[in-house]
Amino acid sequence: MDQTAPQKGTVTGRAIEQIKAMIGEGRLEPGERLPTERDLATQLGISRSSMREAIRALTVMGVLEARHGSGIYVTQLEAGDLLETFGVVADLSRGPRLVELLEVRRVLESTATALAAARISADQLADVEKHLEAMNATEDPEEILSHDLAFHRTIAFAAGNDTMAAILEGLSSRTFRARVWRGYQEEGAFERTRREHARIHRALVARDPEAARAAAAAHVGEVEEWLRGQLEG
């Protein structure tokens, strides 16, 4: 058993890569039904059990989906579906890993905000302003968190890059943000946070990508540095 398990894993891994290659090369299109498990196993020269494991793994990844009574299909391969694991990582991470996630978010958030400054529509800009005003009008941490999430989500979507927006959505999951936010706000940072959001909004209104980039980086960076200090303490 000890000798066969790694081999079986290797065969399954190869099957996963072969199916991904078929999709990447266009031999299987998004939304298309896969051949039967038996036919696909024969085509790729592996056992049905290994093929079953490969399909199961790709289903968990969001690449394939099982439709009851119909078969296995390639998903639409939407970025949001394929990148859901970012949210799981963010929700479960602790300590230094949280700082790493904030560091990644700072890099992507600043880039997305810079892109949004050049691409944001009037309606999207109005939404950003609406959430900023709502944040300023309440002292309720849960309400502020809700509008904070919506503020940044609107900006990420306005950047016009669905993949980047999906990654940021995962890195900014409500559970993750709430954990960091509550501790951060206990330090009396409400007003500073409001000023930082207002600075981002002004840069978007001015359609100034570099000012927007700097404002977003500073905003996330403040929380990142606070969290580093908490861990060091």
Side-chain angles (χ1 to χ4, degrees):
M1 289 292 292
D2 291 341
Q3 293 178 343
T4 58
Q7 183 179 1
K8 187 174 183 181
T10 300
V11 172
T12 301
R14 189 162 63 246
I16 290 171
E17 292 307 313
Q18 286 177 299
I19 295 172
K20 286 165 61 179
M22 292 172 71
I23 296 170
E25 293 165 5
R27 288 182 282 157
L28 285 171
E29 297 287 348
E32 184 176 344
R33 186 180 185 277
L34 262 67
T36 65
E37 185 182 281
R38 176 185 296 172
D39 289 346
L40 199 53
T42 300
Q43 181 181 338
L44 299 182
I46 64 173
S47 69
R48 288 185 66 180
S49 62
S50 293
M51 176 54 62
R52 192 174 300 117
E53 289 184 15
I55 289 173
R56 186 181 298 118
L58 287 167
T59 300
V60 171
M61 293 178 199
V63 176
L64 302 178
E65 64 175 330
R67 299 181 188 174
H68 183 68
S70 180
I72 306 296
Y73 290 77
V74 181
T75 67
Q76 293 302 318
L77 303 177
E78 296 291 341
D81 296 330
L82 297 178
L83 296 171
E84 281 183 356
T85 49
F86 277 98
V88 177
V89 172
D91 287 347
L92 301 180
S93 293
R94 300 175 61 191
R97 183 61 56 83
L98 284 175
V99 177
E100 290 182 3
L101 290 171
L102 277 170
E103 190 172 51
V104 173
R105 184 187 159 217
R106 172 169 50 82
V107 172
L108 292 180
E109 191 91 51
S110 58
T111 300
T113 307
L115 289 171
R119 300 172 178 176
I120 195 165
S121 69
D123 287 344
Q124 289 168 331
L125 194 55
D127 279 343
V128 171
E129 184 172 358
K130 176 186 70 176
H131 292 300
L132 176 63
E133 290 176 348
M135 289 173 65
N136 289 338
T138 181
E139 297 294 326
D140 184 326
E142 287 300 318
E143 284 190 35
I144 294 177
L145 172 61
S146 178
H147 289 291
D148 174 59
L149 285 163
F151 178 93
H152 290 288
R153 185 181 294 118
T154 302
I155 293 171
F157 184 75
N161 185 314
D162 290 345
T163 302
M164 186 183 298
I167 295 172
L168 280 168
E169 183 70 18
L171 291 172
S172 302
S173 75
R174 186 178 184 88
T175 301
F176 169 56
R177 291 283 285 281
R179 288 161 62 198
V180 176
W181 175 271
R182 289 194 185 103
Y184 184 54
Q185 295 306 331
E186 285 173 5
E187 303 291 320
F190 275 116
E191 288 308 313
R192 182 168 65 233
T193 298
R194 287 172 173 141
R195 287 196 301 271
E196 290 165 0
H197 281 85
R199 192 173 300 120
I200 292 170
H201 176 251
R202 285 197 299 271
L204 294 174
V205 171
R207 299 194 176 275
D208 186 334
E210 290 312 308
R213 185 192 307 277
H219 171 54
V220 181
E222 285 281 350
V223 184
E224 182 187 335
E225 287 306 308
W226 170 81
L227 186 57
R228 287 183 192 277
Q230 292 293 108
L231 293 174
E232 290 170 2

